[in-house]
Short mmCIF file of all heavy atoms in Angstrom, two decimals:
data_model
loop_
_atom_site.label_atom_id
_atom_site.label_comp_id
_atom_site.label_asym_id
_atom_site.label_seq_id
_atom_site.Cartn_x
_atom_site.Cartn_y
_atom_site.Cartn_z
N ASN A 1 37.71 -7.31 33.05
CA ASN A 1 38.84 -8.01 32.43
C ASN A 1 39.61 -7.02 31.57
O ASN A 1 39.50 -7.02 30.34
CB ASN A 1 38.31 -9.19 31.59
CG ASN A 1 39.43 -10.07 31.06
OD1 ASN A 1 40.58 -9.93 31.43
ND2 ASN A 1 39.08 -10.97 30.15
N PRO A 2 40.41 -6.14 32.18
CA PRO A 2 41.11 -5.10 31.40
C PRO A 2 42.11 -5.67 30.40
O PRO A 2 42.35 -5.06 29.35
CB PRO A 2 41.82 -4.27 32.48
CG PRO A 2 41.13 -4.60 33.76
CD PRO A 2 40.67 -6.01 33.62
N LYS A 3 42.70 -6.85 30.67
CA LYS A 3 43.70 -7.42 29.77
C LYS A 3 43.08 -8.14 28.58
O LYS A 3 43.81 -8.60 27.69
CB LYS A 3 44.58 -8.38 30.55
CG LYS A 3 45.41 -7.71 31.63
CD LYS A 3 46.32 -8.70 32.33
CE LYS A 3 47.17 -8.02 33.40
NZ LYS A 3 48.07 -8.99 34.08
N LYS A 4 41.77 -8.27 28.56
CA LYS A 4 41.06 -8.89 27.44
C LYS A 4 41.50 -10.34 27.19
O LYS A 4 41.56 -10.79 26.05
CB LYS A 4 41.25 -8.08 26.16
CG LYS A 4 40.60 -6.70 26.20
CD LYS A 4 39.10 -6.79 26.17
CE LYS A 4 38.46 -5.43 26.09
NZ LYS A 4 36.99 -5.50 26.02
N VAL A 5 41.82 -11.06 28.26
CA VAL A 5 42.17 -12.48 28.12
C VAL A 5 40.89 -13.30 28.21
O VAL A 5 39.87 -12.84 28.70
CB VAL A 5 43.17 -12.90 29.22
CG1 VAL A 5 44.48 -12.16 29.06
CG2 VAL A 5 42.59 -12.68 30.60
N TYR A 6 40.99 -14.54 27.74
CA TYR A 6 39.80 -15.39 27.74
C TYR A 6 39.50 -15.84 29.16
O TYR A 6 40.28 -16.54 29.81
CB TYR A 6 40.02 -16.59 26.84
CG TYR A 6 38.85 -17.55 26.83
CD1 TYR A 6 37.61 -17.13 26.37
CD2 TYR A 6 39.00 -18.85 27.29
CE1 TYR A 6 36.53 -17.99 26.36
CE2 TYR A 6 37.92 -19.72 27.29
CZ TYR A 6 36.69 -19.28 26.83
OH TYR A 6 35.63 -20.14 26.82
N ASP A 7 38.32 -15.45 29.65
CA ASP A 7 37.88 -15.80 30.99
C ASP A 7 36.39 -16.14 30.92
O ASP A 7 35.56 -15.24 30.83
CB ASP A 7 38.12 -14.64 31.95
CG ASP A 7 37.79 -15.01 33.40
OD1 ASP A 7 37.44 -16.19 33.64
OD2 ASP A 7 37.88 -14.14 34.27
N PRO A 8 36.03 -17.42 30.90
CA PRO A 8 34.62 -17.78 30.75
C PRO A 8 33.70 -17.18 31.81
O PRO A 8 32.57 -16.79 31.51
CB PRO A 8 34.64 -19.32 30.82
CG PRO A 8 36.04 -19.70 30.47
CD PRO A 8 36.90 -18.60 30.98
N VAL A 9 34.19 -17.11 33.05
CA VAL A 9 33.36 -16.56 34.12
C VAL A 9 33.06 -15.09 33.86
O VAL A 9 31.92 -14.63 34.02
CB VAL A 9 34.05 -16.77 35.48
CG1 VAL A 9 33.22 -16.14 36.60
CG2 VAL A 9 34.28 -18.24 35.75
N THR A 10 34.06 -14.34 33.46
CA THR A 10 33.87 -12.92 33.19
C THR A 10 32.93 -12.70 32.02
O THR A 10 32.01 -11.86 32.08
CB THR A 10 35.22 -12.25 32.90
OG1 THR A 10 36.06 -12.39 34.04
CG2 THR A 10 35.04 -10.78 32.56
N HIS A 11 33.11 -13.46 30.95
CA HIS A 11 32.26 -13.31 29.78
C HIS A 11 30.81 -13.68 30.10
O HIS A 11 29.87 -13.02 29.63
CB HIS A 11 32.78 -14.16 28.63
CG HIS A 11 34.17 -13.83 28.21
ND1 HIS A 11 34.61 -12.53 28.13
CD2 HIS A 11 35.23 -14.61 27.86
CE1 HIS A 11 35.88 -12.52 27.73
NE2 HIS A 11 36.27 -13.77 27.56
N CYS A 12 30.63 -14.73 30.87
CA CYS A 12 29.28 -15.15 31.23
C CYS A 12 28.59 -14.11 32.12
O CYS A 12 27.43 -13.76 31.90
CB CYS A 12 29.34 -16.52 31.93
SG CYS A 12 27.72 -17.20 32.36
N ALA A 13 29.30 -13.63 33.11
CA ALA A 13 28.72 -12.64 34.02
C ALA A 13 28.43 -11.33 33.30
O ALA A 13 27.36 -10.72 33.48
CB ALA A 13 29.66 -12.40 35.20
N ALA A 14 29.38 -10.86 32.49
CA ALA A 14 29.17 -9.61 31.77
C ALA A 14 28.01 -9.73 30.77
O ALA A 14 27.22 -8.80 30.61
CB ALA A 14 30.45 -9.21 31.03
N GLY A 15 27.90 -10.88 30.11
CA GLY A 15 26.80 -11.07 29.18
C GLY A 15 25.44 -11.10 29.88
O GLY A 15 24.47 -10.54 29.38
N ALA A 16 25.38 -11.72 31.04
CA ALA A 16 24.13 -11.79 31.79
C ALA A 16 23.70 -10.41 32.27
O ALA A 16 22.53 -10.01 32.13
CB ALA A 16 24.28 -12.75 32.97
N VAL A 17 24.64 -9.66 32.83
CA VAL A 17 24.30 -8.32 33.33
C VAL A 17 23.91 -7.39 32.18
O VAL A 17 22.97 -6.59 32.28
CB VAL A 17 25.48 -7.73 34.13
CG1 VAL A 17 25.20 -6.31 34.55
CG2 VAL A 17 25.76 -8.59 35.35
N ALA A 18 24.64 -7.48 31.07
CA ALA A 18 24.32 -6.64 29.92
C ALA A 18 22.94 -6.96 29.36
O ALA A 18 22.16 -6.06 29.01
CB ALA A 18 25.38 -6.83 28.84
N GLY A 19 22.60 -8.24 29.29
CA GLY A 19 21.28 -8.62 28.81
C GLY A 19 20.17 -8.17 29.74
O GLY A 19 19.12 -7.69 29.28
N GLY A 20 20.37 -8.32 31.04
CA GLY A 20 19.37 -7.86 31.99
C GLY A 20 19.18 -6.35 31.95
O GLY A 20 18.05 -5.84 32.05
N PHE A 21 20.28 -5.63 31.80
CA PHE A 21 20.22 -4.18 31.70
C PHE A 21 19.44 -3.73 30.47
O PHE A 21 18.55 -2.88 30.55
CB PHE A 21 21.65 -3.61 31.67
CG PHE A 21 21.73 -2.15 31.36
CD1 PHE A 21 21.42 -1.20 32.32
CD2 PHE A 21 22.13 -1.72 30.10
CE1 PHE A 21 21.49 0.16 32.02
CE2 PHE A 21 22.22 -0.38 29.80
CZ PHE A 21 21.89 0.58 30.77
N ALA A 22 19.75 -4.32 29.33
CA ALA A 22 19.05 -3.96 28.10
C ALA A 22 17.57 -4.37 28.14
O ALA A 22 16.69 -3.65 27.65
CB ALA A 22 19.73 -4.60 26.89
N ALA A 23 17.29 -5.52 28.73
CA ALA A 23 15.90 -5.98 28.82
C ALA A 23 15.06 -5.07 29.70
O ALA A 23 13.89 -4.79 29.39
CB ALA A 23 15.87 -7.42 29.34
N ALA A 24 15.63 -4.60 30.81
CA ALA A 24 14.89 -3.73 31.72
C ALA A 24 14.55 -2.40 31.05
O ALA A 24 13.44 -1.87 31.20
CB ALA A 24 15.70 -3.49 32.99
N LEU A 25 15.48 -1.84 30.30
CA LEU A 25 15.24 -0.53 29.68
C LEU A 25 14.30 -0.61 28.49
O LEU A 25 13.67 0.39 28.14
CB LEU A 25 16.58 0.08 29.24
CG LEU A 25 17.54 0.50 30.37
CD1 LEU A 25 18.76 1.18 29.81
CD2 LEU A 25 16.83 1.42 31.38
N THR A 26 14.19 -1.75 27.86
CA THR A 26 13.31 -1.88 26.69
C THR A 26 12.00 -2.59 27.04
O THR A 26 11.25 -2.97 26.12
CB THR A 26 14.02 -2.66 25.58
OG1 THR A 26 14.47 -3.93 26.08
CG2 THR A 26 15.23 -1.89 25.06
N THR A 27 11.70 -2.72 28.31
CA THR A 27 10.45 -3.36 28.72
C THR A 27 9.21 -2.62 28.23
O THR A 27 8.22 -3.25 27.83
CB THR A 27 10.41 -3.53 30.25
OG1 THR A 27 11.48 -4.39 30.65
CG2 THR A 27 9.09 -4.13 30.71
#
């Protein structure tokens, strides 16, 4: 979302991937 507009789908997907990425590295 380069324009930084409110997009629930983008925020939800980015939050899920970011959480999974951080969880895997700190296992």
Side-chain angles (χ1 to χ4, degrees):
N1 187 9
K3 296 183 179 180
K4 294 290 185 178
V5 296
Y6 177 63
D7 186 3
V9 177
T10 299
H11 301 320
C12 182
V17 175
F21 171 76
L25 292 184
T26 55
T27 298

